[in-house]
Amino acid sequence: MSNFIIRKVAVLGAGVMGAQIAAHLINARVPVLLFDLPAKEGPKNGIALKAIENLKKLSPAPFGVKEDAQYITPANYEDDIEKLAQCDVVIEAIAERMDWKHDLYKKVAPHIGPNAIFATNTSGLSITELSQGFGDDLRARFCGVHFFNPPRYMHLVELIPTVHTKPEILDQLESFLTSVVGKGVVRAKDTPNFIANRVGIFSILAVIAEAKKFGLRFDEVDDLTGSRLGRAKSATFRTADVVGLDTMAHVIKTMQDNLKDDPFFPVYETPAVLAGLVAKGALGQKSGGGFYRKEGKTIKVLDANSGEYVEAAGKADELVGRILKRPAAERLKLLRESQHPQAQFLWSIFRDVFHYIGVHLASIAENARDVDLAIRWGFGWNEGPFEGWQSAGWKQVADWVKEDIDAGKALSNAPLPAWVFEGPVAANGGVHGAQGSWSPAERRFVPRSNLPVYERQVFRAPLFGEAGARDPLTFGKTLFEDDHVRAWTDERAGEDDVVIVSFKSKMNTIGPGVLDGLAKAIEIAEAGYKGVVVWQPTSLKLGTPGGPFSAGANLEEAMPAFMMGGAKGIEPFVKKFQQGMLRVKYANVPVVAAVSGIALGGGCELMLHSAKRVVHVESYVGLVEVGVGLVPAGGGLKEAALRAADAANAAGAANAAGAAPGDLLRFLQKSFENAAMAKVSGSGLEARAMGYVKQSDTIVFNVFELLDTAKKEARALSAAGYRAPLRPVQIPVAGRSAIATIKASLVGMRDGRFISDHDFLIASRIAEAVCGGDVEAGSTVDEEWLLTLERRAFVDLLGTQKTQERIMGMLQTGKPVRN
């Protein structure tokens, strides 16, 4: 078996999508050449260079660390075209014009390496038609690879072959996109707009049509079709504004131009309101206004009748809101039977999508699973449309849809196909079952891909009705379980040698019960396993995967102690937390933290004390206690002091007699600023740059591989003869002179009113803890000394009125109070 190694990728086109694809490949440590036309003025690579500069300014950020922009190599077709021969994959991402793409292909085709994969990032043009004019060899290596915008954050990539594409090319590309780039790959048929945009844009068009029929406002519709339905918070019209109304109009036009025989063709007419906005240049977020517009601090929404912007105030009716909280079958029944226009609207948009996917499944996808995953990963739905149909009762919903079609209420009179009502799907009660998902072409339920890359996913993205799928809450052999944690092993052969600990608290916060469970799991592992992995099942959220690892210490669990004993009453809780972290650090087997999503406060401290960290690229890490008027007190500041001493020693700035305070302060500065300013990393890569993740730690790009990678790291440490670190007894600290230096800079910030008096107090206590307290510069202390400084600072601050105000504000509103 030969390795498929991608050494370098060329991206053709430095526009919005091309540049961001290049950026995310750099995140994944794949060298990239970014091509565009030679500039008419200035440096020949000016267009690509400008695109790279613009990437640094975009929000959300395309790079995990914006300084990584330097690793994209700019290129132009005139001077650098021969460099294409160095690339194992070439991705074309220029504008959606068939003629422009063909012109470019003629230019680059002779220079593409004989074994390179050539792919187009088109969002809807025919891949077969794009390949016209290629020789047989290049045609066999050509396919569509459709990233969703923004490429760093959107999990979906559609892979679209032609009849000529070699199967092994697709397997290689799918493996690369899944594991290296971290995507969820769905294979689509070569039909206009493929799967996600075809169904997703139809869904939006149906929403616009039904909203007009029932007289609903745009903001009213968004309140109904967002998180209440388990879909993206931006719902329908806000999403359109974010995507760009011109982009949406282009995708709709692709459907108009290429689907003239579609029974839903009348629905593909560009809505008048959308056409009007585009004609005026109101393209959504990028132009400052679309369906919504911000005026000062006020968000206004377009009034479809007057064409003016009015204050956004449309909301779901309370009755309809209650209906949406009911179980799936009851919810659809009540929506269908209610005479409330909002309820009738919601039933209609559900019916329209069920009707559409039933009619079109055979033509757009190999099976129903691909439709559901494409919509979940591409449009942020928590469940795909086939899942929603099946969970509400397949036969009953099918009968209701048929009744509406027959009564002329649907958007098309096309009947549902026979397989919906009879045969294996009807007998199974839906399209997902124990054998896989329904394929109309094969007339059977087809299993998931068995590519080796998927062996790394202990839990693959689940589907409703897919019997036999592993449930991360119950899978494996439970060693013990209580209200706080579950400790378990993967009982498959060869996988049962690592104890996995999963928290059960809200946001995976850490209280006394979680600490006790973690200590018990370590004790069990020390008696007969190779290591412990702390991993949270919430990293496999149904819609868009990711986190939280832990939102930190459970302040609510500590409140009774505070109510009874005041600030001093909390001290035993803080001490228990500190001892829990030391138990992790000095365990006789490696404890590996498998991190995705947020790891804040105590969650960050758990990471810091682990033997190793395996971190998903979308991890947001930081010591944020300042936000509630406190200092980190679970050993996070102690670890900062230790790491500074180690770094100073490594740099030769410290010796057995201690270190010069200026030298130690240099190594402490970043850690102090991180904690004092409550900085949170914007990615796992930035967490490494901030010092929370070590260079020796592992960053994974596919969250579904997080657990498997963490278990392998634990085994590797064990196999290498893991020993817990020795407890340091002589830690050189920067002392009082360094504290004075830090405070001097804080005085300037306070007097300039950049920080409040209470911020000054908190930052001063952080400085005291990381510098080792009121001792001479170069003095040596032990861990307990540093932990005591943290603990005292925490308790003292908790006794202040302003900190109590911050805590209550956070518990009541979820937002930090600045006082």
Side-chain angles (χ1 to χ4, degrees):
M1 176 182 169
S2 61
N3 286 338
F4 175 66
I5 297 173
I6 292 180
R7 293 158 297 180
K8 189 179 287 185
V9 172
V11 177
L12 311 182
V16 173
M17 279 301 287
Q20 290 198 68
I21 290 168
H24 191 56
L25 289 168
I26 290 295
N27 289 336
R29 298 305 181 249
V30 179
V32 178
L33 287 169
L34 180 61
F35 277 84
D36 212 296
L37 296 167
K40 292 176 181 174
E41 296 177 0
K44 280 277 193 72
N45 290 328
I47 295 173
L49 283 165
K50 185 178 179 183
I52 294 167
E53 278 304 305
N54 285 341
L55 286 169
K56 300 177 191 176
K57 303 169 191 171
L58 287 182
S59 180
F63 290 108
V65 178
K66 71 178 178 182
E67 290 76 15
D68 283 351
Q70 63 181 305
Y71 295 114
I72 298 180
T73 302
N76 69 81
Y77 301 117
E78 197 170 286
D79 296 340
D80 305 305
I81 198 162
E82 291 180 0
K83 293 179 182 177
L84 288 173
Q86 306 167 6
C87 300
D88 301 297
V89 174
V90 177
I91 301 172
E92 170 270 307
I94 68 168
E96 293 286 273
R97 284 269 302 265
M98 185 77 71
D99 54 341
W100 290 0
K101 289 180 187 286
H102 276 147
D103 287 345
L104 178 62
Y105 295 173
K106 286 174 192 167
K107 186 185 296 183
V108 301
H111 301 279
I112 294 173
N115 299 307
I117 296 172
F118 188 24
T120 173
N121 183 59
T122 179
S123 60
L125 297 179
S126 166
I127 310 301
T128 301
E129 196 173 334
L130 284 170
S131 71
Q132 298 302 319
F134 289 168
D136 290 345
D137 180 58
L138 186 56
R139 187 183 289 125
R141 293 181 278 121
F142 183 73
C143 64
V145 54
H146 179 210
F147 285 82
F148 273 62
N149 190 22
R152 171 183 161 187
Y153 301 94
M154 297 304 292
H155 192 61
L156 177 66
V157 170
E158 290 175 313
L159 197 54
I160 312 101
T162 71
V163 293
H164 304 290
T165 310
K166 286 182 189 172
E168 59 265 32
I169 291 291
L170 297 171
D171 291 348
Q172 289 169 342
L173 202 48
E174 181 168 348
S175 298
F176 169 74
L177 290 166
T178 299
S179 197
V180 177
V181 189
K183 297 304 175 187
V185 176
V186 166
R187 296 198 188 187
K189 291 189 176 182
D190 187 14
T191 55
N193 292 338
F194 314 127
I195 297 174
N197 274 343
R198 179 77 174 270
V199 176
I201 294 296
F202 169 81
S203 172
I204 292 172
L205 289 170
V207 165
I208 294 172
E210 302 292 2
K212 184 177 180 182
K213 183 193 300 183
F214 291 102
L216 304 186
R217 291 163 48 121
F218 298 132
D219 52 341
E220 190 179 1
V221 168
D222 275 355
D223 191 52
L224 287 163
T225 60
S227 51
R228 292 178 188 273
L229 297 188
R231 299 180 185 177
K233 254 175 104 174
S234 53
T236 303
F237 297 105
R238 284 187 194 278
T239 296
D241 274 358
V242 170
V243 169
L245 303 190
D246 52 340
T247 302
M248 187 175 160
H250 171 79
V251 176
I252 294 169
K253 188 168 188 314
T254 303
M255 296 165 91
Q256 293 168 2
D257 292 346
N258 297 285
L259 295 170
K260 297 190 185 300
D261 296 330
D262 190 313
F264 289 86
F265 181 74
V267 184
Y268 304 152
E269 182 181 352
T270 305
V273 63
L274 178 64
L277 287 168
V278 172
K280 288 193 298 186
L283 307 180
Q285 193 168 281
K286 61 187 171 186
S287 68
F291 287 106
Y292 292 88
R293 187 171 75 192
K294 192 171 184 181
E295 296 181 7
K297 292 187 176 180
T298 305
I299 301 290
K300 292 196 170 183
V301 64
L302 183 70
D303 181 280
N305 296 320
S306 68
E308 302 295 322
Y309 286 91
V310 298
E311 264 194 61
K315 291 283 183 187
D317 185 88
E318 190 179 337
L319 168 68
V320 175
R322 286 201 301 269
I323 290 174
L324 291 176
K325 292 178 180 177
R326 307 303 300 166
E330 185 182 351
R331 179 170 66 238
L332 278 191
K333 181 175 185 293
L334 290 171
L335 290 174
R336 185 170 185 269
E337 293 174 352
S338 171
Q339 294 306 303
H340 195 292
Q342 290 184 356
Q344 283 290 295
F345 159 77
L346 286 168
W347 158 251
S348 298
I349 65 170
F350 278 121
R351 175 204 64 218
D352 295 340
V353 171
F354 296 156
H355 185 193
Y356 192 78
I357 59 175
V359 169
H360 284 300
L361 173 59
S363 64
I364 65 172
E366 296 295 343
N367 58 70
R369 174 176 54 249
D370 290 342
V371 172
D372 278 344
L373 293 180
I375 292 298
R376 275 165 44 177
W377 293 339
F379 280 80
W381 295 18
N382 278 357
E383 66 174 12
F386 278 118
E387 289 181 285
W389 183 347
Q390 186 162 339
S391 65
W394 183 266
K395 185 178 184 307
Q396 178 63 81
V397 172
D399 288 343
W400 286 339
V401 173
K402 183 179 183 303
E403 283 179 32
D404 278 14
I405 296 168
D406 293 345
K409 295 180 179 178
L411 295 178
S412 165
N413 60 7
L416 288 170
W419 61 260
V420 169
F421 298 100
E422 58 195 44
V425 171
N428 180 67
V431 291
H432 304 305
Q435 284 76 47
S437 297
W438 180 249
S439 168
E442 297 188 38
R443 297 287 302 166
R444 68 183 183 97
F445 293 92
V446 296
R448 296 203 182 206
S449 167
N450 61 358
L451 283 176
V453 69
Y454 293 115
E455 292 173 11
R456 301 174 197 168
Q457 300 187 7
V458 182
F459 304 100
R460 296 177 73 171
L463 287 160
F464 180 88
E466 189 182 45
R470 297 172 191 151
D471 182 347
L473 299 179
T474 58
F475 174 72
K477 177 185 176 184
T478 299
L479 302 176
F480 74 88
E481 185 171 9
D482 57 27
D483 291 341
H484 308 283
V485 303
R486 177 182 179 234
W488 56 283
T489 60
D490 182 341
E491 58 187 339
R492 295 173 297 158
E495 297 289 336
D496 59 353
D497 53 355
V498 174
V499 177
I500 303 160
V501 183
S502 302
F503 302 169
K504 297 169 69 176
S505 49
K506 184 180 179 182
M507 299 290 284
N508 299 321
T509 51
I510 305 169
V514 167
L515 292 167
D516 289 341
L518 188 53
K520 185 177 177 181
I522 292 170
E523 190 176 336
I524 290 170
E526 288 173 336
Y529 295 86
K530 291 181 177 175
V532 173
V533 167
V534 181
W535 173 84
Q536 314 299 6
T538 45
S539 59
L540 303 182
K541 212 168 55 170
L542 281 184
T544 307
F549 175 70
S550 173
N554 191 331
L555 287 178
E556 287 188 61
E557 218 171 303
M559 286 309 288
F562 175 72
M563 299 303 289
M564 291 179 66
K568 281 286 183 186
I570 294 288
E571 190 162 6
F573 170 77
V574 180
K575 190 161 189 176
K576 184 181 180 77
F577 199 108
Q578 292 177 337
Q579 293 306 309
M581 296 303 100
L582 293 179
R583 183 71 179 100
V584 168
K585 182 172 183 176
Y586 296 112
N588 293 308
V589 293
V591 178
V592 176
V595 179
S596 70
I598 60 171
L600 304 177
C604 176
E605 288 170 316
L606 175 54
M607 274 179 61
L608 293 173
H609 286 84
S610 298
K612 189 154 193 177
R613 288 139 292 278
V614 175
V615 181
H616 182 234
V617 69
E618 295 307 332
S619 295
Y620 311 104
V621 182
L623 297 171
V624 295
E625 285 81 356
V626 169
V628 287
L630 295 168
V631 300
L637 301 181
K638 177 262 298 179
E639 285 297 301
L642 273 169
R643 291 186 181 192
D646 288 344
N649 270 316
N655 54 44
D663 291 331
L664 269 174
L665 182 56
R666 175 161 58 95
F667 294 104
L668 279 169
Q669 196 69 37
K670 186 191 290 184
S671 295
F672 167 75
E673 289 176 3
N674 288 344
M677 298 173 69
K679 289 183 178 178
V680 177
S681 72
S683 67
L685 296 166
E686 191 176 17
R688 177 180 277 164
M690 291 170 70
Y692 291 130
V693 176
K694 293 184 177 181
Q695 290 298 325
S696 56
D697 291 331
T698 302
I699 293 179
V700 299
F701 275 70
N702 196 315
V703 75
F704 291 98
E705 296 182 8
L706 187 67
L707 176 57
D708 182 70
T709 304
K711 288 197 298 173
K712 284 173 177 165
E713 294 285 7
R715 285 192 198 104
L717 288 169
S718 177
Y722 178 79
R723 299 287 302 172
L726 296 172
R727 291 178 183 255
V729 291
Q730 289 191 314
I731 306 163
V733 292
R736 66 174 71 94
S737 56
I739 296 169
T741 301
I742 292 174
K743 281 188 176 180
S745 65
L746 291 173
V747 166
M749 294 177 71
R750 181 194 62 194
D751 292 349
R753 307 319 297 165
F754 296 107
I755 61 174
S756 70
D757 290 342
H758 199 55
D759 291 327
F760 175 84
L761 173 62
I762 300 163
S764 298
R765 297 306 297 262
I766 291 172
E768 290 163 11
V770 295
C771 293
D774 187 16
V775 295
E776 287 293 332
S779 298
T780 60
V781 300
D782 59 14
E783 276 189 303
E784 189 51 48
W785 175 274
L786 293 169
L787 288 171
T788 300
L789 288 173
E790 283 187 12
R791 197 165 62 246
R792 283 179 184 162
F794 186 95
V795 171
D796 289 350
L797 286 166
L798 187 57
T800 67
Q801 181 181 345
K802 288 190 181 296
T803 283
Q804 290 169 21
E805 288 170 0
R806 290 192 183 190
I807 292 172
M808 293 311 296
M810 180 64 77
L811 290 175
Q812 288 170 4
T813 69
K815 295 178 182 176
V817 173
R818 305 313 303 171
N819 57 2

